[in-house]
Amino acid sequence: DAGITQSPRHKVTETGTPVTLRCHQTENHRYMYWYRQDPGHGLRLIHYSYGVKDTDKGEVSDGYSVSRSKTEDFLLTLESATSSQTSVYFCAISVAENQPQHFGDGTRLSIL
Amino acid sequence: QKEVEQDPGPLSVPEGAIVSLNCTYSNSAFQYFMWYRQYSRKGPELLMYTYSSGNKEDGRFTAQVDKSSKYISLFIRDSQPSDSATYLCAMSASGGFKTIFGAGTRLFVKA
């Protein structure tokens, strides 16, 4: 299994609170991604990173920010959580663009 | 219209059956095609990765790509109860970071 650890694995929080999810990899891959997975929508890209301090937006980036200060860590922050951000969040890594992505086991986030 | 269409199922088959899973897509620029398997409460796991058209076989799994029809398939031979999972197709174009995923097909293999 690819060395990807997501934390926390589960979180319940209230609307309006800030939330940070962490993805840690031990593979030294350059590319890292954050997705959300919702029934009927599949995996949708939130943000991605192509190097330390190099990030860009995906298709559903509104309300989310990311940071990558080290190769191994990619943080996803919900500045002010809303109920529409209740979802399962997956981190993925790849060695290069167009190479297959490998996924962590996800964070289940519930916003009440 | 979604860029990638995948029947959500569920698909239920008896143990030992041949399973056919399919996706259609609209973007002719896609050249990299993947199939992932996802068990409940786990992350997607890469099963097959192919470039351009043709077939690729790995054990009981065969992936087919027909770019002229914009259609990809995953065949599972001698299906087992342990194959019960959601199967996601995915694809991307050259020079891009963006991989598009299908919504997944739920498969149940009955013992």
Side-chain angles (χ1 to χ4, degrees), chain A residues 31 37 40 98 101 105 108, chain B residues 2 36 38 41 43 49 93 97:
Chain A
Y31 297 85
Q37 187 175 42
N98 294 132
Q101 297 174 22
D105 280 336
R108 290 185 171 270
Chain B
K2 293 181 179 180
Y36 287 84
Q38 186 175 20
R41 298 184 176 269
Y49 172 64
F97 298 103

Side-chain angles (χ1 to χ4, degrees), chain A residues 6-111:
Chain A
Q6 291 187 234
S7 58
R9 293 296 314 279
H10 301 87
K11 187 173 182 66
V12 180
T13 191
E14 295 183 346
T15 300
T17 60
V19 177
T20 295
L21 308 182
R22 180 180 184 238
C23 179
H24 178 78
Q25 61 144 329
T26 58
E27 306 296 322
N28 200 35
H29 284 359
R30 178 180 174 187
Y31 297 85
M32 299 186 75
Y33 312 81
W34 276 108
Y35 291 88
R36 58 178 292 173
Q37 187 175 42
D38 303 289
H41 290 278
L43 288 159
R44 292 182 291 174
L45 182 65
I46 305 171
H47 283 279
Y48 63 95
S49 169
Y50 46 96
V52 174
K53 297 194 189 317
D54 293 323
T55 65
D56 206 348
K57 297 178 180 180
E59 65 178 299
V60 291
S61 59
D62 287 349
Y64 302 94
S65 62
V66 291
S67 65
R68 189 170 179 199
S69 58
K70 297 185 290 185
T71 298
E72 58 265 35
D73 289 326
F74 193 30
L75 304 180
L76 177 71
T77 297
L78 290 66
E79 302 290 348
S80 177
T82 68
S83 59
S84 65
Q85 293 175 312
T86 291
S87 186
V88 182
Y89 291 85
F90 287 99
C91 173
I93 64 174
S94 68
V95 64
E97 65 181 41
N98 294 132
Q99 292 299 304
Q101 297 174 22
H102 300 277
F103 288 81
D105 280 336
T107 294
R108 290 185 171 270
L109 178 63
S110 296
I111 300 165

Side-chain angles (χ1 to χ4, degrees), chain B residues 18-92:
Chain B
I18 297 174
V19 176
S20 173
L21 303 167
N22 311 292
C23 286
T24 60
Y25 62 95
S26 58
N27 188 346
S28 58
F30 288 147
Q31 291 187 294
Y32 301 87
F33 302 92
M34 290 143 280
W35 285 95
Y36 287 84
R37 176 176 63 196
Q38 186 175 20
Y39 291 116
S40 179
R41 298 184 176 269
K42 301 287 282 185
E45 170 195 10
L46 180 70
L47 279 178
M48 302 289 279
Y49 172 64
T50 56
Y51 171 72
S52 195
S53 287
N55 294 0
K56 182 174 182 178
E57 185 175 322
D58 184 1
R60 296 185 296 113
F61 299 91
T62 299
Q64 287 186 351
V65 175
D66 182 350
K67 292 190 70 180
S68 63
S69 300
K70 297 189 180 69
Y71 188 88
I72 68 171
S73 301
L74 178 70
F75 297 95
I76 307 174
R77 291 183 299 280
D78 187 25
S79 56
Q80 303 295 310
S82 58
D83 294 327
S84 297
T86 297
Y87 290 80
L88 310 172
C89 63
M91 47 201 79
S92 64

